[in-house]
């Protein structure tokens, strides 16, 4: 469903995945850039709120009931709760068909006659009641919604009421499972979108690891080159020390030989 337009005192300059981006003051200029990260910390706030399957709210808080005197072929296709039971205080709501294509609602005091289209969703909020909360994008987010099929007859009824047998219902679980095939990722089903998302995460993680390895190799080579120019090469210095040691030993040997020759000459001259 399309989001509710923003208030008149704001300027919506982008609408992405149900989020309206607007400016309350000022005017953007060409070249201005804005970075929005509305869900960057969403994963950090995830926590476990129950530890047993018994805590799962799998039952639907509402149920549908066909009139006992119906004579048409009216059938309930789906009935989904859009909000918790506290918001369903208006139930039960009874639809009474005036003919095969029109019905009235007992929660509409004006007596408006609505057109019945098989397969078209009927919402809890009356179509002609304006929404006052700008954060509510559609009537589909309020109360309940159901879909009927078949051809009713005049006098047939259908009632939405609080589910008196919640323990026998798995309506919420069924609605959650239905999300699996709902187009939520740019026209793709939830399962396909999730698979694509995991694939993108894997590709980006692999790319990040490869980039880190390449950066480490480049850094090691640069450090090696820097050390070769400005640092101390231990192998080279060890070779020089060995060279100096051998030169010192050779000089010492020459001094020893000279001392020996001098001692020999003195002995000969003295004799």
């Amino acid at each position: 469903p399309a989001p509710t337009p923003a208030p008149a005192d704001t300027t919506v300059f982008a609408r992405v995945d149900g989020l309206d981006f607007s400016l309350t003051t000022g005017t953007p200029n060409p070249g201005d850039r804005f970075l929005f990260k509305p869900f960057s910390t969403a994963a950090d706030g995830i926590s476990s709120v129950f530890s047993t399957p018994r805590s799962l709210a799998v039952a639907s808080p509402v149920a549908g009931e066909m009139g006992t005197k119906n004579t048409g072929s009216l059938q309930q296709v789906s009935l989904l709760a859009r909000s918790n039971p506290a918001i369903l205080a208006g139930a039960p709501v009874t639809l009474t068909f005036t003919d095969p294509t029109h019905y009235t609602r007992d929660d509409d005091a004006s007596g408006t006659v609505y057109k019945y289209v098989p397969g078209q969703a009927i919402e809890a909020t009356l179509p002609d009641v304006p929404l006052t909360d700008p954060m509510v994008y559609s009537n589909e987010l309020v109360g309940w919604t159901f879909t009927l099929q078949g051809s009713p007859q005049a006098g047939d009824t259908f009632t939405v009421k609080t589910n008196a047998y919640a323990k026998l219902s798995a309506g919420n679980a069924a609605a959650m499972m239905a999300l699996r095939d709902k187009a939520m990722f740019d026209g793709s089903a939830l399962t396909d979108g999730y698979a694509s998302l995991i694939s993108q995460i894997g590709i980006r993680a692999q790319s990040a690891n490869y980039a880190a390895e390449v950066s480490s190799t480049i850094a090691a080579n640069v450090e090696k080159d820097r050390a070769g120019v400005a640092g101390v090469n231990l192998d080279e210095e060890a070779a020089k020390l060995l060279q100096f040691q051998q030169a010192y030993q050779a000089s010492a040997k020459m001094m020893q030989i000279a001392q020996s020759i001098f001692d020999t000459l003195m002995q000969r001259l003295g004799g």
Side-chain angles (χ1 to χ4, degrees):
T4 299
D9 58 344
T10 62
T11 302
V12 176
F13 58 87
R15 178 170 292 163
V16 181
D17 293 339
L19 296 176
D20 286 346
F21 299 94
S22 59
L23 292 176
T24 55
T25 59
T27 303
N29 295 317
D32 288 353
R33 301 179 64 183
F34 301 89
L35 174 62
F36 297 94
K37 302 172 68 176
F39 309 115
S40 60
T41 60
D44 295 338
I46 297 177
S47 61
S48 176
V49 295
F50 57 86
S51 58
T52 172
R54 293 180 179 273
S55 300
L56 286 171
V58 299
S60 175
V62 292
E65 183 180 74
M66 295 290 179
T68 57
K69 297 181 179 181
N70 287 4
T71 58
S73 59
L74 197 64
Q75 295 180 353
Q76 174 186 319
V77 177
S78 65
L79 173 59
L80 301 176
R82 300 289 194 187
S83 52
N84 59 44
I87 302 179
L88 300 174
V93 175
T94 299
L95 276 63
T96 302
F97 288 86
T98 58
D99 58 55
T101 58
H102 295 86
Y103 64 89
T104 59
R105 296 174 54 151
D106 63 357
D107 60 339
D108 186 354
S110 66
T112 303
V113 177
Y114 298 94
K115 183 174 179 58
Y116 165 66
V117 178
Q120 185 177 83
I122 300 175
E123 304 293 339
T125 303
L126 298 174
D128 57 349
V129 175
L131 295 176
T132 58
D133 186 354
M135 296 303 296
V136 178
Y137 287 170
S138 168
N139 292 346
E140 293 185 1
L141 300 180
V142 181
W144 40 256
T145 179
F146 66 86
T147 304
L148 300 175
Q149 282 187 348
S151 178
Q153 297 297 319
D156 287 359
T157 62
F158 178 81
T159 302
V160 180
K161 61 181 183 178
T162 301
N163 189 358
Y165 305 97
K167 292 185 177 181
L168 302 179
S169 170
N172 283 353
M176 184 178 295
M177 285 297 297
L179 293 175
R180 176 186 59 188
D181 302 319
K182 188 175 181 61
M184 301 177 65
F185 286 81
D186 297 329
S188 300
L190 180 61
T191 50
D192 296 336
Y194 178 78
S196 176
L197 181 62
I198 294 300
S199 176
Q200 291 182 18
I201 292 175
I203 293 174
R204 293 186 180 184
Q206 184 178 12
S207 299
N209 291 334
Y210 178 74
E213 293 177 0
V214 172
S215 299
S216 298
T217 302
I218 294 175
N221 292 334
V222 171
E223 177 61 22
K224 183 178 180 180
D225 294 340
R226 185 200 68 80
V229 175
V232 176
N233 191 318
L234 297 180
D235 294 338
E236 183 179 351
E237 296 300 324
K240 288 183 178 180
L241 284 175
L242 182 60
Q243 181 182 357
F244 294 151
Q245 181 183 11
Q246 292 176 349
Y248 177 80
Q249 291 175 350
S251 299
K253 190 66 174 178
M254 289 296 296
M255 292 296 295
Q256 184 181 0
I257 293 173
Q259 182 65 37
S260 177
I261 293 174
F262 180 76
D263 291 343
T264 301
L265 288 175
M266 291 299 293
Q267 291 175 2
R268 294 289 178 92
L269 293 174

